[in-house]
């Protein structure tokens, strides 16, 4: 008997191995096989009686993973589709989608072992870390982790502290922590019904808490569905008192009700575009749609995708609170920020059906979910859904495919849908659900005003450090009234350039064709492309002039200026630099929510999804640069970002105001923004795209090449373009000139790209398939890759 196995290898073929029939191999099983001189884990795709490979060349399977139930045919099809569509080998898609623990056969036996994990109890929360010696840093870290994470597994604890087991035993005896034993490999079907009127013992948590009574088993009956909402008065404002175990449900607005029932009544594959203005309560729609489904089908699973899970703690909290009556461990997250062990466990919970709700980032779209019944994609327009390396897939597009494959509803939510999705809805392929009003009765959309910087200058009202007079006054007024403001600019660091007035020298990266960014607090010049860093020089390295000065403005500089022009204001900066440490983003955001901040300055990080309740003013700096980009999607992205960030203002009661500083106050994009007119913007931009033959009216693919020199990269692309002429399907494909990337050199590697496009997706796909083997035969570059549906041109 033979198995045909997919391996994580660029060749798009399956590899044959001999297998003992007694081992009953099945498609979807993982096997450990010899490959060259190594052993690797592969995925069984077929089981056959014959092999084309010569008898003496077929090697034998070493080991089959019995700890992991086989991946379903549907999942194999999903991986197969992604591989084919994105021009990759099946194994290159399937294996990286699995948790690391499954890809290492030496760890398979441990998978079956029950998982021990520790949870901090209230008594421990009160006692720790004060009970620990000040210098016991490792112990303190252990206590810290326990306090921050929901639980800590025994191996993770050991990794933090070599004697963790003994310490935790001590804490267990003191009643500070509880020990739980989870049987991760328990088969599907044992998943506990949500209705907790049924005894809460059938679930996978086997228990052994030393201090009983503290480990909370949900006691309230599940109050998920809309019916329970009736008794709750609207005046609660939708916020449930934290003390109640079963959350109060807000009364849905008419628009929300219509959306929920459309989703609920859907039959089979049903793609929805939930277009809801910021603050219209899209989350509530997902919650109700899920509740309705999970209430009626006690084994159904839901997948909810968000662009960046670390930035949406409120989102996760809302799901955990609403579905608190679900079995422990029935809501899991999947994202790259998880520790490896936790990610494996969560993946397993999804794969075995224990997890009823999977909340995750783009990688979760490839999770194994045997009972998947609904998918929600929040902020579906977000570019973060596109993987930018390796398999360059769009999680949103794969979500649609998956829903179609399974015949289930998929909800794409956004205040500013991608033009691709908007166009699908225009054509009637997606059903549009509109939430035009904010959910909270007294929260109107903010007024948007444009501050004409040229006009300010002509009137002799100079800006101070890039902050215009009207913006400064508005900020001061908010501070006086005790309201919060948000200042948005999409550039981190202190200044994007450091230059010498005397000779024109600008600090550049030695490895990239890019300027380095000045980071003042860190006293460093840093390359944002490769991470190269150096100290700020005292004088110009070219002419010795000591008067070298920063050019332009980043968040650090604006933070500094704000402290100067709005004296006494508590200014907080949130960007990739200030949140580098794990968990620090959450801490900073809590400060904002707690009202400990007057002015928040930040990059798009602050624009995404946060429900800031006291922000009444948003200032936008430096948005103009994106208006004239060579990338045709730049204006779509800018519009979405500005709508998002504007949406942070005036969410609860306080009237919101948005001030945009610009040199182009008459630009159509700003006009649409001022009128909150996504529809007008989308329709106008789509019309332009149609005239210009741009996506979504054509389909594109990008061939990128990286060489030691630019010439090498361009020569490769030229040969590639010539090869295209031999492909019949390429007759319907337009080939553009090979061009260097905007930042042509990164890490001493030179990069160029070749764009091809077609009005026919099938022609483009056929061309790419025929092209691949030709490209493999070409030489002269370090690397090349194909990206289908590229987002960055
Ligand atoms: P969006 O994701 O559309 O920007 P959110 O889901 O963040 O909006 O909702 C905005 C706020 O409105 C949240 O505080 C939410 O709790 C509240 N909310 C949602 N639906 C209702 C409702 N029907 N009644 C009252 N408040 C609601
Ligand atoms: Zn100089
Ligand atoms: Zn660099």
């Amino acid at each position: 008997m033979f198995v045909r196995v997919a391996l994580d290898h660029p060749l798009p073929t399956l590899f044959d191995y001999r297998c003992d029939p007694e081992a009953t191999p099945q498609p979807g099983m993982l096997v450990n096989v010899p490959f060259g001189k190594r052993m690797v884990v592969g995925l069984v795709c077929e089981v056959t009686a014959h092999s084309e490979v010569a008898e003496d060349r077929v090697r034998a399977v070493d080991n089959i993973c019995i700890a992991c139930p086989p991946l379903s045919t549907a999942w194999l099809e999903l991986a197969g589709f992604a591989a084919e569509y994105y021009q990759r080998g099946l194994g290159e898609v399937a294996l990286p989608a699995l948790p690391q623990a499954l890809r290492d056969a030496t760890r398979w036996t441990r998978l079956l072992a029950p998982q021990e994990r520790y949870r901090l109890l209230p008594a421990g929360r009160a006692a720790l870390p004060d009970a620990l010696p000040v210098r016991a840093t490792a112990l303190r870290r252990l206590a810290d982790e326990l306090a921050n994470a929901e639980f800590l597994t025994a191996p993770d604890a050991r990794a933090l502290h070599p004697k963790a087991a003994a310490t935790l035993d001590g804490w267990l005896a003191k009643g500070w922590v509880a020990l739980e034993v989870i049987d991760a490999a328990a088969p599907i079907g044992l998943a506990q019904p949500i209705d907790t009127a049924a005894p809460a013992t059938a679930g996978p948590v086997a228990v052994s808490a030393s201090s009983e009574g503290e480990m909370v088993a949900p006691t309230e009956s599940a109050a998920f569905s809309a019916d329970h909402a009736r008794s709750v008065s609207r005046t609660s404002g939708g916020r449930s008192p934290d003390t109640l175990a079963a959350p109060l449900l807000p009364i849905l607005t008419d628009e929300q009700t219509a959306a929920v029932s459309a989703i609920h009544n859907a039959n089979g594959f049903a793609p929805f575009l939930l277009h809801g203005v910021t603050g219209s309560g899209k989350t509530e729609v997902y919650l109700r749609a899920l509740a309705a489904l999970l209430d009626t089908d006690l084994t159904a699973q839901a997948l909810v995708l968000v662009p960046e899970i670390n930035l949406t703690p409120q989102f996760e909290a809302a799901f955990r609170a609403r579905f608190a009556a679900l079995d422990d461990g029935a809501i899991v997250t999947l994202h790259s920020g998880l520790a490896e062990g936790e990610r494996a466990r969560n993946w397993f919970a999804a794969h075995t059906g224990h997890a009823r709700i999977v909340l995750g980032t783009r990688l979760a779209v490839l999770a194994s979910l045997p009972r998947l019944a609904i998918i929600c994609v929040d902020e579906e327009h977000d570019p973060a859904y596109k993987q930018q390396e390796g398999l360059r897939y769009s999680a949103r597009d794969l979500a649609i495919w998956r829903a179609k494959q399974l015949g289930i509803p998929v909800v794409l939510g956004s205040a500013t849908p991608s033009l691709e999705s908007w166009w699908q809805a225009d054509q009637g392929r997606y059903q549009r659900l509109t939430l035009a009003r904010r959910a909270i009765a007294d929260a109107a959309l903010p007024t948007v005003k444009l501050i004409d910087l040229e006009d300010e200058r002509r009137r002799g009202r100079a800006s101070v450090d890039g902050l215009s007079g009207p913006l400064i006054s508005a900020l001061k007024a908010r501070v006086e009234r005790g309201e919060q403001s948000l200042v948005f600019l999409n550039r981190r660091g202190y200044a994007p350039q450091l230059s010498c007035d005397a000779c024109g020298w600008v600090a550049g990266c030695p490895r990239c064709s890019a300027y380095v960014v000045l980071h003042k607090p860190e006293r460093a010049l840093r390359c944002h492309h490769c991470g190269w860093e150096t100290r700020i020089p005292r004088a110009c390295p070219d002419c010795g002039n000591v008067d070298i000065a920063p050019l332009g403005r980043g968040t650090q500089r604006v933070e500094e200026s704000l402290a100067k022009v709005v004296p006494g204001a508590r200014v907080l900066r949130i960007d990739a630099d200030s949140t580098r440490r794990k968990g620090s983003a959450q801490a900073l955001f809590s400060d904002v929510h707690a009202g400990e901040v007057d002015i928040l300055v930040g990059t798009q990080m602050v624009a995404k999804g946060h429900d800031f309740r006291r922000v009444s003013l948003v200032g936008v700096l430096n948005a103009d640069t994106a208006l004239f980009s060579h990338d045709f999607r730049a204006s779509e992205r800018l519009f979405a970002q500005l709508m998002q960030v504007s949406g942070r203002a005036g969410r609860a009661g306080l009237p919101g105001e948005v001030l945009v500083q610009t040199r182009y106050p008459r630009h159509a994009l700003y006009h649409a923004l001022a009128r909150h007119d996504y529809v007008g913007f989308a329709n106008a931009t789509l019309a332009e795209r149609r005239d210009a033959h741009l996506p979504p009216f054509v389909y594109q693919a990008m061939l990128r090449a990286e060489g030691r020199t630019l010439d090498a990269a361009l020569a490769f692309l030229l040969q590639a373009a010539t090869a295209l002429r031999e492909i019949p399907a390429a007759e319907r494909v337009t080939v553009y000139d090979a061009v260097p990337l905007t930042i042509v050199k990164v890490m001493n590697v030179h990069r160029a790209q070749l764009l091809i496009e077609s009005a026919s997706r099938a022609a483009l796909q056929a061309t790419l398939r025929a092209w691949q083997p030709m490209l493999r035969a070409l030489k002269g570059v370090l690397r090349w890759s194909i990206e289908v549906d590229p987002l960055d041109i």
Side-chain angles (χ1 to χ4, degrees):
M1 183 178 266
F2 300 92
V3 288
R4 313 202 63 211
V5 177
L7 300 176
D8 187 359
H9 189 274
L11 274 185
T13 51
L14 298 179
F15 298 85
D16 289 10
Y17 289 90
R18 195 175 306 111
C19 187
D20 180 1
E22 303 242 307
T24 54
Q26 286 172 47
M29 282 182 162
L30 294 169
V31 286
N32 198 34
V33 293
F35 187 70
K37 292 201 173 84
R38 294 174 304 140
M39 297 298 292
V40 293
V41 169
L43 176 65
V44 176
C45 293
E46 291 167 35
V47 180
T48 65
H50 307 282
S51 169
E52 306 281 294
V53 185
E55 179 93 20
D56 55 335
R57 294 194 48 216
V58 182
R59 301 166 79 179
V61 166
D62 180 68
N63 188 5
I64 293 190
C65 180
I66 43 166
C68 181
L71 288 146
S72 66
T73 320
W75 191 84
L76 291 175
E77 275 171 25
L78 168 71
F81 167 77
E84 171 139 344
Y85 186 79
Y86 292 109
Q87 306 291 321
R88 291 281 171 150
L90 174 61
E92 280 185 297
V93 175
L95 290 155
L98 303 176
Q100 206 53 44
L102 278 178
R103 302 186 58 193
D104 177 355
T106 62
R107 292 156 73 181
W108 284 350
T109 45
R110 285 227 319 265
L111 287 174
L112 274 179
Q115 186 61 249
E116 294 187 346
R117 61 193 205 185
Y118 296 89
R119 187 186 293 277
L120 193 61
L121 294 172
R125 205 172 280 278
L128 292 169
D130 298 343
L132 303 174
V134 180
R135 281 166 203 280
T137 41
L139 279 181
R140 283 177 169 262
R141 201 160 50 233
L142 190 65
D144 249 21
E145 276 302 307
L146 269 171
N148 292 334
E150 203 190 333
F151 54 78
L152 199 61
T153 65
D156 286 351
R158 273 195 299 275
L160 284 171
H161 190 290
K163 297 207 182 92
T167 305
L168 286 165
D169 275 348
W171 292 357
L172 197 64
K174 287 193 169 114
W176 290 356
V177 295
L179 174 64
E180 307 167 355
V181 183
I182 307 288
D183 183 0
I188 187 171
L190 286 183
Q192 188 181 350
I194 311 178
D195 187 347
T196 43
T201 48
V205 177
V207 206
S208 85
S210 77
S211 62
E212 50 181 19
E214 310 241 35
M215 271 194 51
V216 191
T219 48
E220 295 292 323
S221 79
F224 296 159
S225 9
D227 300 349
H228 299 268
R230 304 250 157 77
S231 58
V232 183
S233 123
R234 185 82 198 264
T235 52
S236 71
R239 270 159 82 94
S240 46
D242 303 330
T243 48
L244 290 184
L248 295 178
L249 301 184
I251 308 270
L252 296 183
T253 64
D254 292 349
E255 291 177 327
Q256 285 173 320
T257 305
V260 171
S261 61
I263 299 165
H264 185 55
N265 295 327
N267 232 325
F269 173 55
F272 293 98
L273 182 58
L274 177 63
H275 175 219
V277 298
T278 50
S280 59
K282 293 185 285 293
T283 313
E284 192 62 39
V285 173
Y286 309 139
L287 288 167
R288 298 294 175 101
L290 256 58
L293 238 158
L294 301 187
D295 250 357
T296 45
D297 177 350
L298 296 187
T299 57
Q301 295 180 299
L303 173 63
V304 181
L305 298 179
V306 292
E308 162 66 277
I309 217 156
N310 290 319
L311 294 182
T312 50
Q314 291 177 94
F315 197 86
E316 189 183 333
F319 276 77
R320 293 205 185 277
R322 181 65 55 89
F323 295 101
L326 272 182
D327 186 12
D328 218 3
I331 303 182
V332 299
T333 57
L334 275 181
H335 57 95
S336 56
L338 290 179
E340 201 195 299
E342 196 174 359
R343 185 153 148 200
R345 256 181 326 277
N346 292 356
W347 183 92
F348 229 79
H351 178 53
T352 52
H354 284 137
R356 305 286 310 281
I357 300 176
V358 174
L359 267 177
T361 52
R362 60 172 180 256
L363 60 87
V365 81
L366 289 170
S368 161
L369 292 154
R371 305 277 309 160
L372 185 58
I374 186 170
I375 310 178
C376 300
V377 184
D378 191 36
E379 310 291 359
E380 67 89 27
H381 66 279
D382 198 301
Y385 283 120
K386 185 80 195 258
Q387 165 100 347
Q388 290 297 1
E389 58 195 24
L391 177 77
R392 291 168 171 252
Y393 63 94
S394 155
R396 178 199 60 215
D397 294 351
L398 287 181
I400 299 278
W401 190 88
R402 224 176 158 173
K404 188 165 181 186
Q405 175 199 30
L406 300 174
I408 59 172
V410 52
V411 185
L412 309 180
S414 176
T416 51
S418 66
L419 291 179
E420 278 78 7
S421 299
W422 191 251
W423 172 236
Q424 294 286 352
D426 275 349
Q427 291 175 299
R429 296 218 193 99
Y430 299 173
Q431 185 181 338
R432 204 168 291 166
L433 305 170
T434 306
L435 309 178
R437 273 172 298 281
R438 285 192 156 179
I440 299 177
D442 51 359
L445 284 170
T447 47
V448 179
K449 289 191 197 131
L450 302 170
I451 301 174
D452 183 346
L453 290 176
E454 280 306 313
D455 190 51
E456 289 290 311
R457 196 183 51 80
R458 270 196 302 275
R459 290 163 189 252
R461 294 201 291 244
S463 303
V464 182
D465 282 356
L467 301 164
S468 66
L471 179 57
I472 294 173
S473 327
L475 287 166
K476 283 183 175 158
R478 292 313 186 291
V479 176
E480 271 161 29
R481 294 209 295 268
E483 296 168 16
Q484 294 179 315
S485 308
L486 192 163
V487 174
F488 169 75
L489 84 162
N490 228 346
R491 186 176 270 165
R492 64 191 172 87
Y494 187 81
Q497 290 168 32
L498 180 70
S499 80
C500 165
D501 260 355
C503 75
W505 167 85
V506 183
C509 174
R511 303 193 291 204
C512 308
S513 52
Y515 297 128
V516 285
V517 177
L518 174 63
H519 287 252
K520 200 169 166 189
E522 301 93 326
R523 301 214 191 145
L525 294 173
R526 198 178 276 163
C527 174
H528 283 192
H529 298 278
C530 75
W532 181 81
E533 202 174 292
T534 186
R535 289 184 67 83
I536 302 172
R538 285 175 202 287
C540 170
D542 280 6
C543 74
N545 170 23
V546 290
D547 253 356
I548 44 178
L551 268 186
R553 257 169 216 92
T555 43
Q556 293 174 349
R557 194 173 189 182
V558 170
E559 178 189 19
E560 190 181 278
S561 307
L562 283 168
K564 226 168 29 190
V565 299
V566 192
R570 296 164 301 173
V571 181
L572 178 74
R573 171 170 57 87
I574 295 190
D575 57 26
D577 298 310
S578 72
T579 55
R580 202 153 296 221
R581 261 184 347 105
K582 195 174 172 228
S584 59
Q586 199 143 340
L588 293 179
F589 282 116
S590 316
D591 287 351
V592 182
H593 290 294
E596 282 160 26
V597 173
D598 298 313
I599 306 177
L600 177 64
V601 49
T603 54
Q604 58 177 348
M605 235 177 167
V606 298
K608 283 188 187 178
H610 288 279
D611 194 5
F612 296 127
R613 297 189 151 256
R614 295 187 219 197
V615 169
S616 63
L617 172 71
V618 169
V620 177
L621 312 181
N622 273 349
D624 288 346
T625 40
L627 292 177
F628 307 102
S629 167
H630 67 284
D631 186 340
F632 69 89
R633 280 197 182 84
S635 60
E636 178 184 349
R637 272 197 292 265
L638 175 65
F639 187 77
Q641 267 179 11
L642 294 184
M643 287 280 274
Q644 278 290 332
V645 73
S646 304
R648 301 310 111 203
R651 284 171 82 89
L654 300 171
E657 186 178 30
V658 179
L659 298 177
V660 183
Q661 297 194 164
T662 173
R663 301 207 141 69
Y664 308 93
R666 272 163 292 282
H667 198 285
L669 185 147
Y670 291 135
H671 268 254
L673 180 73
R675 283 180 278 118
H676 303 285
D677 186 11
Y678 167 81
V679 177
F681 174 80
N683 292 344
T685 312
L686 274 175
E688 280 169 28
R689 296 258 188 105
R690 186 203 295 270
D691 289 345
H693 299 283
L694 288 169
F697 301 96
V698 295
Y699 303 99
Q700 298 184 323
M702 186 75 88
L703 174 64
R704 293 199 178 84
E706 301 184 355
R708 293 226 179 278
T709 63
L710 178 59
D711 283 344
L714 288 172
F716 174 88
L717 295 178
L718 206 64
Q719 291 179 62
T722 312
L724 271 177
R725 293 200 205 115
E726 294 162 31
I727 302 173
E731 269 177 32
R732 298 173 63 195
V733 170
T734 309
V735 185
Y736 288 85
D737 287 341
V739 292
L741 263 67
T742 318
I743 307 290
V744 54
K745 187 177 76 163
V746 167
M747 292 283 272
N748 291 321
V749 169
H750 296 255
R751 313 174 309 163
Q753 63 186 24
L754 178 77
L755 180 67
I756 69 172
E757 69 181 30
S758 175
S760 153
R761 182 169 289 191
L764 187 67
Q765 284 281 325
T767 302
L768 292 172
R769 252 190 305 284
W771 207 16
Q772 291 250 22
M774 298 174 166
L775 295 174
R776 259 183 235 119
L778 295 179
K779 299 270 176 305
V781 285
L782 300 167
R783 258 187 305 272
W784 57 268
S785 64
I786 287 177
E787 179 173 6
V788 181
D789 305 330
L791 273 191
D792 297 305
I793 303 289

